[in-house]
Amino acid sequence: MNPVTLLPFIVLIGAMFLMTRSAKKKQAAAAQMRNEMQPGTGVRTIGGMYATVKELHDDTVVLEVAPGVHAIYAKNSIGAVLDDAEYNRIVHGDGDDIDGAIVPDDASSLTEAAEADEDSSDNAKIDLGKKAEADDVEPKDAEADEKSKDKADGEADAK
């Protein structure tokens, strides 16, 4: 058999091998992460809920989703195990240093800026109305307009 005809099959098998290999690596890393959980660790579920691990069992984990509120989850539902600093920053808001502008609770800053713009004399107002000169100009082909008014609908000039 010709090696050129086998080349597409070899490439296809190689691509499948690489895809399954990377998927197995991701699954192994996720399983190792779940096995390293300890009580008191902050976690994020695959649904996006943040909670603290209270108890670990073979296939389940007891999470404290709020003070005094416990829920039982499958270990496979844990999406990420967070370190203490990151968990406290996300859940409790510890260490939030905002370097940008702070958004006010009301819209007063938006209206103050608009009023300041109206008061400034640098901005000239633009007149968007029609000019009187445009109304005084008659069409160039006044005779053609008169002829078209005299015709009934559907009639045309015959040539």
Side-chain angles (χ1 to χ4, degrees), residues 86-128:
E86 183 178 6
Y87 180 77
N88 288 331
R89 181 184 60 81
I90 293 170
V91 175
H92 303 296
D94 295 346
D96 283 344
D97 295 331
I98 301 174
D99 292 338
I102 297 174
V103 178
D105 291 339
D106 58 358
S108 62
S109 63
L110 299 174
T111 57
E112 290 171 0
E115 290 170 1
D117 287 343
E118 289 176 5
D119 293 340
S120 66
S121 60
D122 295 337
N123 296 334
K125 294 193 177 194
I126 300 172
D127 183 22
L128 298 176

Side-chain angles (χ1 to χ4, degrees), residues 7 16-17 27-28 31 41-42 44 61 67-68 72 86 116 120-121 124 135 158:
L7 186 63
M16 289 175 53
F17 173 74
Q27 287 177 350
T41 305
R44 182 183 66 233
V61 62
I72 299 172
E86 183 178 6
S120 66
S121 60
D135 294 335

